[in-house]
Amino acid sequence: DNKKVLSMLTRSASARTRVSRSNDNVSSTTRRKRHFNTTSMLGVAFHGKGGSGKGFESNIKELTSEIDTITSWRYPDGTSVLDEGCYAWWEPSEMRSFESDVWVGADKAIDVACEAADGASVLFGFSQGAMLIGCLLAEKRMPESVKACVLVGGAWCRPYSNGLGELVQWRLGPKSKTYQSPKLLHIISAQDRVNPPSSAMMLQAAVGGDIVYHAGGHVVPLDKKDAIAAWVRQNAE
C-alpha cells in the first residue's frame, strides 16, 4: 500500500543524495564526442496532457536532432481525446494526476505505449508522457529492446503504487534476474508548478536513474539539449 511504499522511499533517501546534482550529468569529454551511427535505432516520444504527437515532434525537434544515435522517431497521440488535435493518456478528472488514485483509461494507454515502444531503443516522455513511462516500469511492461528512457516533468503514479513499491524492493534488495530496467534519466525543475519536484523525486527514488536539474519550470529544457543528447548517446546502446 501507499504507506509501505512511502516508508521504503524514505529509507532510500540516502541513496538519492548520492545522485549527481550536476546540471550536466555527463563528462565534458562525452559531451564533445559525436557519435556516427551505423545502426538503425528507433526512439518513441510521448507528449503531455493537451498535446499531440505532431505538436510534440515540432516542440522537441531541436533536441531530437542532437540525438544522432536515433535514426527515426515515433510520436503517438494520446488515447484520450480532449479536443480536436489535443490528447491525453487518460481521462481528465477533478484531481491532478499525481494526487489521484484512479486514472480512467490508463490501462489502454499502457497497451498502446507498449506496442509503440516495441523495437525502440529510447523512450522520451514529458509530463503525462513521463508518467506513462513510469507506468510501463511499474507494470513491468517495458519492452526488452528499450535501453534508455528520459522522463521530463514526471510525477508519482499513484494508481500504480504497488508496482512502484515492488521496484523499490527490487532496487534496494537482492536483484532478481527476471527483471531488467533500462537506464533512466529524470529531468526535474524546482520551479515546476504543474508536477511538483517532490513528486518527481518520489518516482526517481522508486525506479532509479540519473537526474538533470533545470530552472525552466514545466517544460522540456532545450537549453539542456546537449547534456540530454550526450546521456542518450552514452546509454542507448
Side-chain angles (χ1 to χ4, degrees):
D1 56 26
N2 282 342
K3 289 184 179 179
K4 184 176 180 181
V5 171
L6 291 174
S7 175
M8 288 185 290
L9 291 177
T10 300
R11 292 200 301 273
S12 70
S14 60
R16 296 203 303 275
T17 61
R18 293 195 295 270
V19 176
S20 171
R21 290 184 173 272
S22 168
N23 279 339
D24 298 320
N25 211 353
V26 292
S27 69
S28 58
T29 300
T30 302
R31 287 196 299 270
R32 287 193 300 267
K33 181 181 178 180
R34 298 300 292 176
H35 180 92
F36 294 96
N37 183 43
T38 58
T39 304
S40 177
M41 296 177 69
L42 172 67
V44 180
F46 301 110
H47 64 78
K49 178 182 178 181
S52 68
K54 184 176 181 181
F56 198 42
E57 177 181 9
S58 177
N59 291 343
I60 64 172
K61 185 175 182 179
E62 186 178 335
L63 168 61
T64 55
S65 64
E66 290 293 314
I67 306 176
D68 49 8
T69 49
I70 306 302
T71 53
S72 62
W73 287 86
R74 292 175 183 160
Y75 300 88
D77 289 329
T79 49
S80 176
V81 180
L82 302 181
D83 202 348
E84 184 176 355
C86 297
Y87 304 88
W89 292 102
W90 41 86
E91 296 293 329
S93 71
E94 295 180 357
M95 300 181 69
R96 301 298 304 280
S97 290
F98 65 87
E99 298 173 319
S100 177
D101 290 318
V102 178
W103 294 350
V104 177
D107 289 345
K108 177 182 177 181
I110 292 171
D111 289 341
V112 170
C114 187
E115 182 177 355
D118 187 34
S121 298
V122 173
L123 303 185
F124 186 98
F126 171 63
S127 194
Q128 272 195 3
M131 298 164 82
L132 182 60
I133 293 175
C135 293
L136 289 177
L137 293 166
E139 293 292 282
K140 299 180 178 60
R141 297 283 304 277
M142 185 65 68
E144 292 184 4
S145 62
V146 177
K147 305 303 181 185
C149 300
V150 180
L151 296 82
V152 184
W156 185 251
C157 308
R158 287 181 66 90
Y160 300 90
S161 291
N162 288 340
L164 292 174
E166 291 176 3
L167 290 180
V168 175
Q169 293 177 319
W170 176 82
R171 292 203 316 111
L172 300 183
K175 299 296 187 292
S176 169
K177 294 182 180 180
T178 61
Y179 180 74
Q180 180 63 46
S181 174
K183 300 293 185 181
L184 304 171
L185 176 64
H186 302 261
I187 313 296
I188 301 173
S189 175
Q191 290 74 30
D192 194 326
R193 300 295 182 260
V194 176
N195 285 335
S198 59
S199 190
M201 290 299 296
M202 283 181 62
L203 180 61
Q204 187 276 335
V207 302
D210 300 321
I211 303 174
V212 165
Y213 296 94
H214 69 100
H218 196 65
V219 298
V220 177
L222 297 180
D223 60 328
K224 301 298 180 185
K225 63 181 181 181
D226 291 341
I228 296 171
W231 183 92
V232 172
R233 285 195 295 269
Q234 190 174 50
N235 290 281
E237 298 181 339

